[in-house]
Amino acid sequence: MSNEQIHAIVLKSVAASDYLQKISLHERAALMHSIADEITELGESLIQTAEQETGLPNARLQGEKGRTVGQWRSYANAIKSGLFAEARIDKGDGVQKADIRKYNKAVGPVAVFGASNFPFAFSTAGGDTASAIAAGCSVVYKEHPGHPATSQIMAEAIQRGLRKHGAPEGAFGYIQGAGNSVGEALVLHPAIKAVAFTGSLAGGKALFNLGVTREEPIPVFAEMGSVNPVFALPEFLQQNTSTFAQQYVGSLSLGVGQFCTNPGVLVVQKDASLASFKQQLQEEIAKIPAARMLHQGIANSYNQGRSQLLEQQGVEQIGAGSAAENGQGQGAIYSVDAKYFIDNPILSHEVFGPAGLLVECEDQQQMLAVLAQLGGQLTITFSATKGDMKQYVDLFNLAQKKCGRLLFGGMPTGVDVVLAMQHGGPFPSSTDSRFTSVGPDAIKRFLRPVSFQNWPDELLPQELQESNPLKIERIVDNKRELAYS
Ligand code: NAP
């Protein structure tokens, strides 16, 4: 797509952004439900197209489609309560103290880059698009080159939902074509006011740098994944050696390891249960069949990442799954002594796919050094008993500084779309750890506060008018005024 074509699409999105801000929260929510209805209506041809383009299995795609619809509906319901308008009213005294009223307003058109690994839930009609429209921003979407036909079907469903409400088509602009120059032109367009991205560290960082060095800098919310370390503490590991090996390998190999929350690093202590645990890991990974990865580029970089791991001092392969054909990913688990891990930053790089690295530590001090060596993470998991946690307080405290979501037990793959979810952590897992890209709070990324001082009531936005016509939750003279709907 040429720069002129991109320019024309962005211009339409400016007018549409005004429209989305002008309609009421209730109308915007209804429009979002219409888009959800249109996605629900999409039949087997959507699933088949996505299956063909991504290699993801039918059942997974069916589930992801349901999640995508759920995101539109839950973000729509969240805005209706006024939770994100964050209306604050200080009425003043009519004499010296001014009447000041503040609420959150849409930032303007948002550029969205979809992820290859979630062709529905984090792509064209995914969480970034839904949260931007919920905020009242139009979206200009750059298609992911890994699934263009799937994107096209989703884009048409969004357009049908918009038309049903008489909304302008520019509320969702669609940019076709592969190549960095297309995305760069979009981020550099002066009418774009924010960017949402999910993908590689190289891509996210490049777009972030572009966004902040524009004449008018803009926020670039990039979620770039991490190794999501799992700390398996001694008492827990002794009690659960074989079930835990099974659980870990299940999570590591889920979706051919192509999740940003994939647990790529497993940290343990060298104690009596370690030999048997490694044996169990070897047996479990051997059961994992090789499977097609999302695209050839991802398969190539997975294989390069594995080769690079094996070249590092102290790294050995514990076991592997069935052999892979071209384009497939083979499950594999490696081990390394913590003393090598601590001195070698290459070992803490994400290898996107079903490869795990077991890091063997002498004691808690060495576990702390391993965690200190790691960059910011989306998640950190403690596979531990409560007794373990009492002994490992320092590790727990350091973990809280390093990630967005802390798990006690379970595995980090699987990210619930709920208000309390945090999906985003310190760099390099994301570019702004204050925000989440999953759950209704993702809407906050595309809002900015505006105050109105001494304005006549009828000229104020509905969110701030005296009678509270939208019946939303507000704080009035420091007291909470509850939502009625
Ligand atoms: P990607 O290469 O980062 O691409 C994501 C999107 O950004 C694509 O639309 C791509 O389009 C665009 N893009 C990438 N670099 C750009 C740049 N410098 N300037 C402008 N646009 C750019 O991600 P991917 O293709 O999905 O997978 C590649 C790797 O990303 C994987 O091997 C994995 O390591 C990582 N990944 C991480 C996650 C996660 O959840 N964090 C998800 C998927 C993949 P063009 O190629 O058309 O420019």
Short mmCIF file of all heavy atoms in Angstrom, two decimals, residues 113-118 141-146 177-185 187 197-207 210 223-226 258-261 294-295 297-299 301-302 350-353 378 423 429, ligand 1:
data_model
loop_
_atom_site.label_atom_id
_atom_site.label_comp_id
_atom_site.label_asym_id
_atom_site.label_seq_id
_atom_site.Cartn_x
_atom_site.Cartn_y
_atom_site.Cartn_z
N PHE A 113 -1.20 -2.96 15.53
CA PHE A 113 -0.44 -4.03 14.85
C PHE A 113 -0.85 -5.35 15.49
O PHE A 113 -0.61 -5.56 16.68
CB PHE A 113 1.07 -3.84 15.02
CG PHE A 113 1.62 -2.67 14.28
CD1 PHE A 113 1.41 -1.37 14.71
CD2 PHE A 113 2.36 -2.88 13.11
CE1 PHE A 113 1.92 -0.30 14.01
CE2 PHE A 113 2.88 -1.81 12.41
CZ PHE A 113 2.65 -0.51 12.85
N GLY A 114 -1.47 -6.23 14.71
CA GLY A 114 -1.94 -7.50 15.27
C GLY A 114 -0.81 -8.50 15.46
O GLY A 114 0.26 -8.38 14.87
N ALA A 115 -1.09 -9.50 16.32
CA ALA A 115 -0.10 -10.54 16.61
C ALA A 115 -0.32 -11.74 15.70
O ALA A 115 -1.46 -12.04 15.35
CB ALA A 115 -0.25 -10.97 18.06
N SER A 116 0.76 -12.43 15.36
CA SER A 116 0.63 -13.63 14.53
C SER A 116 0.05 -14.79 15.32
O SER A 116 -0.63 -15.65 14.76
CB SER A 116 2.00 -14.03 13.99
OG SER A 116 2.91 -14.19 15.05
N ASN A 117 0.30 -14.81 16.65
CA ASN A 117 -0.05 -16.02 17.41
C ASN A 117 -1.50 -16.04 17.92
O ASN A 117 -1.93 -17.03 18.46
CB ASN A 117 0.93 -16.24 18.57
CG ASN A 117 1.02 -15.07 19.52
OD1 ASN A 117 0.61 -13.97 19.18
ND2 ASN A 117 1.55 -15.30 20.70
N PHE A 118 -2.21 -14.94 17.79
CA PHE A 118 -3.65 -14.90 18.12
C PHE A 118 -4.38 -14.26 16.95
O PHE A 118 -4.68 -13.07 16.98
CB PHE A 118 -3.89 -14.10 19.40
CG PHE A 118 -3.63 -14.86 20.66
CD1 PHE A 118 -2.40 -14.79 21.28
CD2 PHE A 118 -4.61 -15.67 21.20
CE1 PHE A 118 -2.14 -15.50 22.45
CE2 PHE A 118 -4.37 -16.39 22.37
CZ PHE A 118 -3.13 -16.30 22.99
N TYR A 141 -5.81 -0.30 11.35
CA TYR A 141 -5.19 -1.60 11.61
C TYR A 141 -4.23 -1.98 10.49
O TYR A 141 -4.58 -1.95 9.31
CB TYR A 141 -6.29 -2.68 11.73
CG TYR A 141 -5.71 -4.04 11.97
CD1 TYR A 141 -5.23 -4.40 13.22
CD2 TYR A 141 -5.60 -4.96 10.93
CE1 TYR A 141 -4.66 -5.64 13.44
CE2 TYR A 141 -5.02 -6.21 11.14
CZ TYR A 141 -4.55 -6.54 12.40
OH TYR A 141 -3.98 -7.76 12.63
N LYS A 142 -3.02 -2.36 10.87
CA LYS A 142 -2.04 -2.88 9.88
C LYS A 142 -2.12 -4.40 9.94
O LYS A 142 -1.86 -5.00 10.99
CB LYS A 142 -0.65 -2.36 10.27
CG LYS A 142 0.55 -3.26 9.96
CD LYS A 142 0.96 -3.25 8.50
CE LYS A 142 2.27 -4.02 8.32
NZ LYS A 142 2.15 -5.48 8.42
N GLU A 143 -2.52 -5.03 8.82
CA GLU A 143 -2.71 -6.47 8.84
C GLU A 143 -1.40 -7.20 9.12
O GLU A 143 -0.31 -6.71 8.76
CB GLU A 143 -3.34 -6.98 7.53
CG GLU A 143 -2.38 -7.03 6.38
CD GLU A 143 -2.99 -7.60 5.09
OE1 GLU A 143 -4.20 -7.81 5.00
OE2 GLU A 143 -2.21 -7.81 4.14
N HIS A 144 -1.51 -8.37 9.79
CA HIS A 144 -0.30 -9.18 9.99
C HIS A 144 -0.07 -10.03 8.75
O HIS A 144 -1.00 -10.69 8.27
CB HIS A 144 -0.43 -10.07 11.24
CG HIS A 144 0.89 -10.65 11.62
ND1 HIS A 144 1.50 -11.65 10.91
CD2 HIS A 144 1.76 -10.32 12.61
CE1 HIS A 144 2.67 -11.94 11.45
NE2 HIS A 144 2.86 -11.13 12.48
N PRO A 145 1.17 -10.01 8.20
CA PRO A 145 1.40 -10.75 6.96
C PRO A 145 1.20 -12.26 7.09
O PRO A 145 1.07 -12.96 6.08
CB PRO A 145 2.87 -10.43 6.60
CG PRO A 145 3.48 -9.85 7.85
CD PRO A 145 2.36 -9.28 8.66
N GLY A 146 1.10 -12.77 8.34
CA GLY A 146 0.92 -14.21 8.54
C GLY A 146 -0.50 -14.69 8.29
O GLY A 146 -0.71 -15.89 8.07
N GLY A 177 -0.78 -5.18 3.30
CA GLY A 177 0.59 -5.24 2.78
C GLY A 177 1.60 -5.54 3.85
O GLY A 177 1.45 -5.18 5.01
N ALA A 178 2.66 -6.25 3.40
CA ALA A 178 3.74 -6.61 4.31
C ALA A 178 4.93 -5.70 4.08
O ALA A 178 5.05 -5.07 3.03
CB ALA A 178 4.13 -8.07 4.05
N GLY A 179 5.78 -5.63 5.07
CA GLY A 179 7.00 -4.82 4.94
C GLY A 179 7.02 -3.71 5.97
O GLY A 179 6.00 -3.05 6.17
N ASN A 180 8.17 -3.54 6.58
CA ASN A 180 8.30 -2.56 7.66
C ASN A 180 7.88 -1.16 7.26
O ASN A 180 7.35 -0.40 8.07
CB ASN A 180 9.75 -2.49 8.16
CG ASN A 180 10.18 -3.75 8.90
OD1 ASN A 180 11.33 -3.83 9.33
ND2 ASN A 180 9.30 -4.71 9.04
N SER A 181 8.09 -0.80 5.96
CA SER A 181 7.83 0.58 5.55
C SER A 181 6.34 0.93 5.70
O SER A 181 5.99 2.09 5.96
CB SER A 181 8.30 0.82 4.12
OG SER A 181 7.61 -0.04 3.27
N VAL A 182 5.46 -0.06 5.55
CA VAL A 182 4.02 0.18 5.68
C VAL A 182 3.70 0.59 7.12
O VAL A 182 3.06 1.62 7.38
CB VAL A 182 3.21 -1.09 5.28
CG1 VAL A 182 1.73 -0.86 5.47
CG2 VAL A 182 3.52 -1.50 3.86
N GLY A 183 4.18 -0.22 8.06
CA GLY A 183 3.94 0.08 9.48
C GLY A 183 4.60 1.38 9.90
O GLY A 183 4.04 2.15 10.70
N GLU A 184 5.78 1.63 9.37
CA GLU A 184 6.50 2.86 9.74
C GLU A 184 5.72 4.10 9.31
O GLU A 184 5.57 5.06 10.07
CB GLU A 184 7.89 2.88 9.10
CG GLU A 184 8.87 1.92 9.76
CD GLU A 184 10.13 1.71 8.94
OE1 GLU A 184 10.30 2.38 7.88
OE2 GLU A 184 10.93 0.85 9.33
N ALA A 185 5.21 4.05 8.06
CA ALA A 185 4.45 5.20 7.54
C ALA A 185 3.22 5.47 8.41
O ALA A 185 2.86 6.62 8.68
CB ALA A 185 4.02 4.95 6.09
N VAL A 187 2.82 4.71 11.70
CA VAL A 187 3.20 5.26 13.02
C VAL A 187 3.65 6.72 12.88
O VAL A 187 3.42 7.54 13.78
CB VAL A 187 4.31 4.39 13.66
CG1 VAL A 187 4.85 5.02 14.93
CG2 VAL A 187 3.77 3.00 13.95
N PHE A 197 0.78 -2.67 19.87
CA PHE A 197 1.56 -3.67 19.13
C PHE A 197 1.72 -4.91 19.99
O PHE A 197 1.93 -4.82 21.20
CB PHE A 197 2.94 -3.07 18.82
CG PHE A 197 3.96 -4.06 18.31
CD1 PHE A 197 4.15 -4.25 16.94
CD2 PHE A 197 4.74 -4.81 19.20
CE1 PHE A 197 5.09 -5.17 16.48
CE2 PHE A 197 5.68 -5.72 18.74
CZ PHE A 197 5.85 -5.90 17.38
N THR A 198 1.65 -6.10 19.36
CA THR A 198 2.03 -7.35 20.02
C THR A 198 2.91 -8.13 19.06
O THR A 198 2.51 -8.37 17.92
CB THR A 198 0.80 -8.22 20.36
OG1 THR A 198 -0.10 -7.43 21.15
CG2 THR A 198 1.19 -9.44 21.16
N GLY A 199 4.09 -8.50 19.50
CA GLY A 199 5.00 -9.23 18.61
C GLY A 199 6.40 -9.29 19.17
O GLY A 199 6.58 -9.42 20.39
N SER A 200 7.38 -9.17 18.27
CA SER A 200 8.78 -9.36 18.67
C SER A 200 9.35 -8.14 19.39
O SER A 200 8.87 -7.02 19.21
CB SER A 200 9.62 -9.64 17.42
OG SER A 200 9.62 -8.49 16.60
N LEU A 201 10.42 -8.38 20.14
CA LEU A 201 11.13 -7.28 20.81
C LEU A 201 11.69 -6.31 19.77
O LEU A 201 11.57 -5.09 19.92
CB LEU A 201 12.26 -7.86 21.69
CG LEU A 201 13.19 -6.87 22.36
CD1 LEU A 201 12.42 -5.93 23.29
CD2 LEU A 201 14.27 -7.61 23.17
N ALA A 202 12.26 -6.88 18.69
CA ALA A 202 12.86 -6.01 17.66
C ALA A 202 11.80 -5.11 17.04
O ALA A 202 11.99 -3.89 16.89
CB ALA A 202 13.53 -6.85 16.58
N GLY A 203 10.63 -5.68 16.69
CA GLY A 203 9.56 -4.91 16.06
C GLY A 203 8.98 -3.88 17.02
O GLY A 203 8.80 -2.70 16.68
N GLY A 204 8.70 -4.31 18.24
CA GLY A 204 8.10 -3.40 19.23
C GLY A 204 9.01 -2.24 19.57
O GLY A 204 8.59 -1.09 19.65
N LYS A 205 10.30 -2.55 19.72
CA LYS A 205 11.26 -1.49 20.09
C LYS A 205 11.43 -0.51 18.92
O LYS A 205 11.50 0.71 19.13
CB LYS A 205 12.60 -2.15 20.47
CG LYS A 205 13.60 -1.21 21.11
CD LYS A 205 13.12 -0.78 22.49
CE LYS A 205 14.02 0.14 23.28
NZ LYS A 205 15.01 0.91 22.72
N ALA A 206 11.46 -1.04 17.70
CA ALA A 206 11.61 -0.16 16.52
C ALA A 206 10.43 0.80 16.42
O ALA A 206 10.61 2.01 16.19
CB ALA A 206 11.72 -1.01 15.24
N LEU A 207 9.23 0.28 16.62
CA LEU A 207 8.04 1.14 16.52
C LEU A 207 7.97 2.13 17.69
O LEU A 207 7.57 3.28 17.53
CB LEU A 207 6.76 0.29 16.45
CG LEU A 207 6.65 -0.57 15.18
CD1 LEU A 207 5.42 -1.47 15.24
CD2 LEU A 207 6.58 0.29 13.92
N LEU A 210 10.28 4.93 16.89
CA LEU A 210 9.66 5.82 15.89
C LEU A 210 8.64 6.75 16.55
O LEU A 210 8.61 7.95 16.29
CB LEU A 210 8.91 5.00 14.84
CG LEU A 210 9.60 4.53 13.59
CD1 LEU A 210 8.56 3.93 12.66
CD2 LEU A 210 10.37 5.65 12.91
N GLU A 223 3.67 -4.97 23.48
CA GLU A 223 3.80 -6.15 24.35
C GLU A 223 4.68 -7.12 23.59
O GLU A 223 4.35 -7.52 22.47
CB GLU A 223 2.39 -6.71 24.63
CG GLU A 223 2.38 -7.76 25.72
CD GLU A 223 2.53 -9.14 25.15
OE1 GLU A 223 1.52 -9.74 24.79
OE2 GLU A 223 3.69 -9.60 25.07
N MET A 224 5.85 -7.46 24.17
CA MET A 224 6.86 -8.14 23.38
C MET A 224 7.26 -9.51 23.94
O MET A 224 8.23 -10.11 23.50
CB MET A 224 8.08 -7.22 23.26
CG MET A 224 7.69 -5.88 22.64
SD MET A 224 8.93 -4.60 22.75
CE MET A 224 8.97 -4.25 24.49
N GLY A 225 6.50 -9.98 24.93
CA GLY A 225 6.75 -11.33 25.44
C GLY A 225 7.91 -11.41 26.41
O GLY A 225 8.60 -10.43 26.67
N SER A 226 8.12 -12.60 26.97
CA SER A 226 9.19 -12.79 27.95
C SER A 226 9.40 -14.28 28.18
O SER A 226 8.73 -15.10 27.56
CB SER A 226 8.82 -12.08 29.27
OG SER A 226 7.59 -12.53 29.79
N GLN A 258 3.82 -21.22 21.32
CA GLN A 258 3.74 -19.88 20.71
C GLN A 258 2.82 -18.95 21.51
O GLN A 258 1.87 -18.38 20.99
CB GLN A 258 3.28 -19.99 19.27
CG GLN A 258 4.25 -20.83 18.44
CD GLN A 258 3.68 -21.27 17.11
OE1 GLN A 258 4.18 -20.91 16.07
NE2 GLN A 258 2.62 -22.04 17.13
N PHE A 259 3.10 -18.83 22.79
CA PHE A 259 2.38 -17.90 23.65
C PHE A 259 3.38 -16.95 24.28
O PHE A 259 4.48 -17.36 24.65
CB PHE A 259 1.64 -18.65 24.78
CG PHE A 259 0.45 -19.43 24.32
CD1 PHE A 259 0.46 -20.81 24.28
CD2 PHE A 259 -0.71 -18.77 23.93
CE1 PHE A 259 -0.64 -21.52 23.85
CE2 PHE A 259 -1.82 -19.47 23.50
CZ PHE A 259 -1.79 -20.85 23.46
N CYS A 260 2.95 -15.69 24.43
CA CYS A 260 3.86 -14.74 25.08
C CYS A 260 4.06 -15.09 26.55
O CYS A 260 5.00 -14.63 27.19
CB CYS A 260 3.35 -13.31 24.93
SG CYS A 260 1.61 -13.16 25.20
N THR A 261 3.17 -15.93 27.11
CA THR A 261 3.32 -16.34 28.51
C THR A 261 3.92 -17.74 28.64
O THR A 261 3.82 -18.38 29.70
CB THR A 261 1.95 -16.32 29.21
OG1 THR A 261 1.03 -17.03 28.38
CG2 THR A 261 1.45 -14.89 29.43
N LEU A 294 3.50 -21.08 13.35
CA LEU A 294 2.61 -20.09 12.73
C LEU A 294 3.03 -19.71 11.32
O LEU A 294 2.20 -19.57 10.42
CB LEU A 294 2.55 -18.83 13.58
CG LEU A 294 1.80 -18.99 14.90
CD1 LEU A 294 2.18 -17.90 15.87
CD2 LEU A 294 0.30 -18.98 14.64
N HIS A 295 4.33 -19.46 11.15
CA HIS A 295 4.82 -19.22 9.79
C HIS A 295 6.29 -19.62 9.71
O HIS A 295 6.94 -19.85 10.74
CB HIS A 295 4.53 -17.80 9.29
CG HIS A 295 5.07 -16.66 10.12
ND1 HIS A 295 6.39 -16.31 10.11
CD2 HIS A 295 4.47 -15.80 10.97
CE1 HIS A 295 6.57 -15.26 10.92
NE2 HIS A 295 5.41 -14.93 11.46
N GLY A 297 8.96 -18.03 9.09
CA GLY A 297 9.90 -17.15 9.78
C GLY A 297 10.00 -17.51 11.27
O GLY A 297 11.10 -17.52 11.85
N ILE A 298 8.86 -17.81 11.89
CA ILE A 298 8.86 -18.17 13.31
C ILE A 298 9.56 -19.52 13.50
O ILE A 298 10.36 -19.69 14.43
CB ILE A 298 7.42 -18.18 13.86
CG1 ILE A 298 6.97 -16.70 14.01
CG2 ILE A 298 7.31 -18.92 15.18
CD1 ILE A 298 5.73 -16.46 14.82
N ALA A 299 9.30 -20.48 12.57
CA ALA A 299 9.97 -21.79 12.67
C ALA A 299 11.49 -21.61 12.53
O ALA A 299 12.28 -22.21 13.27
CB ALA A 299 9.43 -22.73 11.60
N SER A 301 13.30 -18.89 13.18
CA SER A 301 13.95 -18.24 14.33
C SER A 301 13.92 -19.15 15.56
O SER A 301 14.81 -19.10 16.41
CB SER A 301 13.41 -16.84 14.62
OG SER A 301 12.07 -16.89 14.87
N TYR A 302 12.92 -20.05 15.65
CA TYR A 302 12.90 -21.03 16.75
C TYR A 302 14.13 -21.96 16.64
O TYR A 302 14.84 -22.18 17.61
CB TYR A 302 11.60 -21.83 16.71
CG TYR A 302 11.55 -22.95 17.73
CD1 TYR A 302 11.64 -22.66 19.10
CD2 TYR A 302 11.42 -24.28 17.35
CE1 TYR A 302 11.59 -23.68 20.05
CE2 TYR A 302 11.39 -25.30 18.29
CZ TYR A 302 11.47 -24.99 19.64
OH TYR A 302 11.44 -26.00 20.58
N GLU A 350 14.26 -14.81 25.01
CA GLU A 350 13.13 -15.68 24.68
C GLU A 350 13.43 -16.50 23.42
O GLU A 350 13.91 -15.96 22.42
CB GLU A 350 11.88 -14.81 24.42
CG GLU A 350 10.64 -15.61 24.11
CD GLU A 350 9.43 -14.73 23.75
OE1 GLU A 350 9.62 -13.60 23.27
OE2 GLU A 350 8.29 -15.19 23.93
N VAL A 351 13.19 -17.83 23.51
CA VAL A 351 13.22 -18.66 22.30
C VAL A 351 11.75 -19.00 22.05
O VAL A 351 11.17 -19.83 22.76
CB VAL A 351 14.06 -19.94 22.50
CG1 VAL A 351 14.03 -20.80 21.23
CG2 VAL A 351 15.49 -19.58 22.88
N PHE A 352 11.13 -18.31 21.09
CA PHE A 352 9.67 -18.39 20.90
C PHE A 352 9.31 -19.74 20.29
O PHE A 352 9.55 -20.00 19.12
CB PHE A 352 9.24 -17.25 19.97
CG PHE A 352 7.75 -17.02 19.94
CD1 PHE A 352 7.07 -16.47 21.01
CD2 PHE A 352 7.02 -17.35 18.80
CE1 PHE A 352 5.71 -16.24 20.97
CE2 PHE A 352 5.65 -17.12 18.74
CZ PHE A 352 5.00 -16.57 19.84
N GLY A 353 8.76 -20.62 21.12
CA GLY A 353 8.43 -21.98 20.71
C GLY A 353 8.53 -22.90 21.92
O GLY A 353 8.75 -22.44 23.04
N LEU A 378 6.41 -10.69 31.81
CA LEU A 378 4.95 -10.63 31.90
C LEU A 378 4.50 -11.36 33.16
O LEU A 378 3.63 -10.88 33.88
CB LEU A 378 4.31 -11.30 30.68
CG LEU A 378 4.49 -10.59 29.34
CD1 LEU A 378 3.99 -11.46 28.20
CD2 LEU A 378 3.76 -9.25 29.34
N HIS A 423 -1.65 -7.81 32.07
CA HIS A 423 -0.85 -8.45 31.02
C HIS A 423 0.06 -7.38 30.45
O HIS A 423 -0.30 -6.64 29.53
CB HIS A 423 -1.76 -9.04 29.95
CG HIS A 423 -1.02 -9.89 28.96
ND1 HIS A 423 -0.46 -11.10 29.30
CD2 HIS A 423 -0.72 -9.71 27.66
CE1 HIS A 423 0.13 -11.63 28.24
NE2 HIS A 423 0.00 -10.80 27.23
N SER A 429 9.46 -6.84 28.59
CA SER A 429 8.22 -7.55 28.28
C SER A 429 7.19 -6.61 27.67
O SER A 429 6.39 -7.02 26.83
CB SER A 429 7.65 -8.23 29.53
OG SER A 429 7.25 -7.31 30.49
P1 NAP B 1 6.87 -9.27 14.40
O1 NAP B 1 7.95 -9.63 13.46
O2 NAP B 1 7.26 -8.43 15.55
O3 NAP B 1 5.73 -8.54 13.55
C1 NAP B 1 4.53 -8.05 14.15
C2 NAP B 1 3.94 -6.95 13.27
O4 NAP B 1 4.76 -5.79 13.30
C3 NAP B 1 3.83 -7.33 11.81
O5 NAP B 1 2.66 -6.70 11.29
C4 NAP B 1 5.05 -6.72 11.19
O6 NAP B 1 4.75 -6.45 9.85
C5 NAP B 1 5.24 -5.45 12.00
N1 NAP B 1 6.65 -5.05 12.19
C6 NAP B 1 7.63 -5.81 12.74
N2 NAP B 1 8.78 -5.11 12.80
C7 NAP B 1 8.53 -3.88 12.29
C8 NAP B 1 9.33 -2.72 12.09
N3 NAP B 1 10.62 -2.69 12.42
N4 NAP B 1 8.75 -1.65 11.53
C9 NAP B 1 7.45 -1.67 11.16
N5 NAP B 1 6.65 -2.75 11.33
C10 NAP B 1 7.18 -3.85 11.89
O7 NAP B 1 6.17 -10.55 15.00
P2 NAP B 1 5.74 -11.95 14.35
O8 NAP B 1 5.86 -11.97 12.87
O9 NAP B 1 4.41 -12.23 14.88
O10 NAP B 1 6.75 -13.00 14.97
C11 NAP B 1 8.13 -12.85 14.98
C12 NAP B 1 8.68 -13.08 16.37
O11 NAP B 1 7.94 -12.26 17.30
C13 NAP B 1 8.51 -14.47 16.92
O12 NAP B 1 9.51 -15.33 16.52
C14 NAP B 1 8.52 -14.21 18.41
O13 NAP B 1 9.83 -14.15 18.88
C15 NAP B 1 7.87 -12.88 18.57
N6 NAP B 1 6.45 -12.93 18.96
C16 NAP B 1 6.08 -12.51 20.18
C17 NAP B 1 4.75 -12.52 20.54
C18 NAP B 1 4.28 -12.02 21.86
O14 NAP B 1 3.24 -12.43 22.31
N7 NAP B 1 4.94 -11.09 22.47
C19 NAP B 1 3.77 -12.94 19.67
C20 NAP B 1 4.16 -13.36 18.42
C21 NAP B 1 5.50 -13.34 18.08
P3 NAP B 1 5.77 -6.51 8.64
O15 NAP B 1 6.56 -7.77 8.79
O16 NAP B 1 4.87 -6.49 7.47
O17 NAP B 1 6.61 -5.29 8.78
#
